[in-house]
Amino acid sequence: MPHPVALAGVGFSFGDGALRRPVLRDLNLTVAAGEIVLLTGPSGSGKTTLLTLIGALRAMQEGRCQVLGQELHGAPESARVALRRRIGFIFQNHNLLAFLTARQNVAMSLELHPDFGDESKRMAAAGKVLEQVGLADFAEVVPAKLSGGQRQRVAVARALVASPGLILADEPTAALDRQSGHDVVHLMRDLAKKSGMPILLVTHDPRILDVADRIVSMEDGRIVG
């Protein structure tokens, strides 16, 4: 069975000509089904750029990158958009809309999903996943009245609600205290293991290394360990 994520010889640069700056260099990486891989390394090592390529947020330049069966090198924008709908994204800043309740924030991510054309279906699915992340009693609460850890749980619920084939997370615990960060990543791990969904998580946080099946270190655009 093919890996959900398989990269070979991936390279990426910013700028052109004399201003061209390589960010990723001949990079190879696989992530297996249900595997939780933490991506670590100093700032500027290319971790976030790699995550955006895997998430089809940037166009590929060099090498091959297959994600959930889609080859991204040379893929048209329409194929990249379709793939993004099959990936759950979690970022350091939860990016919740302040004027929407927790349930509405989660349901909003389903508005373009073909299986959730009816609003009642979206709201029901949002309520179910909020229950899974321990926020059933906070579904109708706006973000300003939630703690930092609760807001990030809403972001996790939003990423999971469409049953994605892959979760990509960029520093999801950076704005959280020790206990909240621990709770959020262990919640992600438990939900991923139940569904066989892989997680690729960028982090500088040494407190969460115990959730990993594998830790991959990057330096100067290369995998070094």
Side-chain angles (χ1 to χ4, degrees), residues 5 7 10-14 21 23-24 27 29 39 45-62 65-67 70-73 75 77 79-81 83-85 87-92 95 166-171 200-202 218:
V5 177
L7 284 69
V10 169
F12 189 86
S13 300
F14 289 116
R21 181 172 65 88
V23 179
L24 300 176
L27 192 145
L29 177 68
L39 200 57
S45 59
K47 303 183 302 298
T48 295
T49 299
L50 177 59
L51 212 66
T52 60
L53 287 175
I54 294 171
L57 298 171
R58 298 183 190 274
M60 288 285 298
Q61 292 177 351
E62 302 172 21
C65 178
Q66 284 204 347
V67 179
Q70 171 68 56
E71 173 56 55
L72 289 174
H73 193 165
E77 177 65 14
R80 288 167 45 212
V81 169
L83 178 61
R84 288 198 291 268
R85 291 178 184 158
I87 297 173
F89 296 92
I90 304 170
F91 300 103
Q92 174 179 343
N95 296 324
L166 170 68
I167 290 286
L168 299 178
D170 193 1
E171 299 284 5
L200 181 59
L201 189 155
V202 168
M218 285 186 67

Side-chain angles (χ1 to χ4, degrees), residues 38-41 47 169-173 201-206 208-209:
L38 299 194
L39 200 57
T40 66
K47 303 183 302 298
D170 193 1
E171 299 284 5
T173 65
L201 189 155
V202 168
T203 187
H204 286 104
D205 190 346
I208 66 170
L209 299 183

Side-chain angles (χ1 to χ4, degrees), residues 89-102:
F89 296 92
I90 304 170
F91 300 103
Q92 174 179 343
N93 298 315
H94 48 73
N95 296 324
L96 302 180
L97 294 179
F99 57 89
L100 297 181
T101 65

Side-chain angles (χ1 to χ4, degrees), residues 24-192:
L24 300 176
R25 311 162 192 265
D26 193 27
L27 192 145
N28 303 301
L29 177 68
T30 60
V31 180
E35 187 178 28
I36 299 175
V37 177
L38 299 194
L39 200 57
T40 66
S43 296
S45 59
K47 303 183 302 298
T48 295
T49 299
L50 177 59
L51 212 66
T52 60
L53 287 175
I54 294 171
L57 298 171
R58 298 183 190 274
M60 288 285 298
Q61 292 177 351
E62 302 172 21
R64 302 186 66 82
C65 178
Q66 284 204 347
V67 179
L68 303 180
Q70 171 68 56
E71 173 56 55
L72 289 174
H73 193 165
E77 177 65 14
S78 59
R80 288 167 45 212
V81 169
L83 178 61
R84 288 198 291 268
R85 291 178 184 158
R86 300 170 59 203
I87 297 173
F89 296 92
I90 304 170
F91 300 103
Q92 174 179 343
N93 298 315
H94 48 73
N95 296 324
L96 302 180
L97 294 179
F99 57 89
L100 297 181
T101 65
R103 187 199 300 264
Q104 290 169 329
N105 266 285
V106 174
M108 188 182 67
S109 69
L110 294 172
E111 287 187 357
L112 297 178
H113 198 287
D115 295 335
F116 293 91
D118 181 79
E119 183 179 4
S120 63
K121 284 186 178 181
R122 295 195 295 271
M123 295 298 278
K128 183 176 180 180
V129 75
L130 283 169
E131 184 176 350
Q132 288 180 315
V133 302
L135 291 179
D137 294 337
F138 297 87
E140 309 310 324
V141 177
V142 294
K145 295 186 177 180
L146 297 173
S147 69
Q150 288 171 332
R151 288 193 290 269
Q152 196 64 310
R153 282 174 178 256
V154 176
V156 171
R158 182 178 58 192
L160 293 173
V161 68
S163 300
L166 170 68
I167 290 286
L168 299 178
D170 193 1
E171 299 284 5
T173 65
L176 303 179
D177 61 38
R178 175 183 291 273
Q179 188 59 50
S180 295
H182 176 276
D183 291 347
V184 164
V185 295
H186 280 76
L187 170 69
M188 290 168 60
R189 179 195 65 186
D190 293 345
L191 293 172

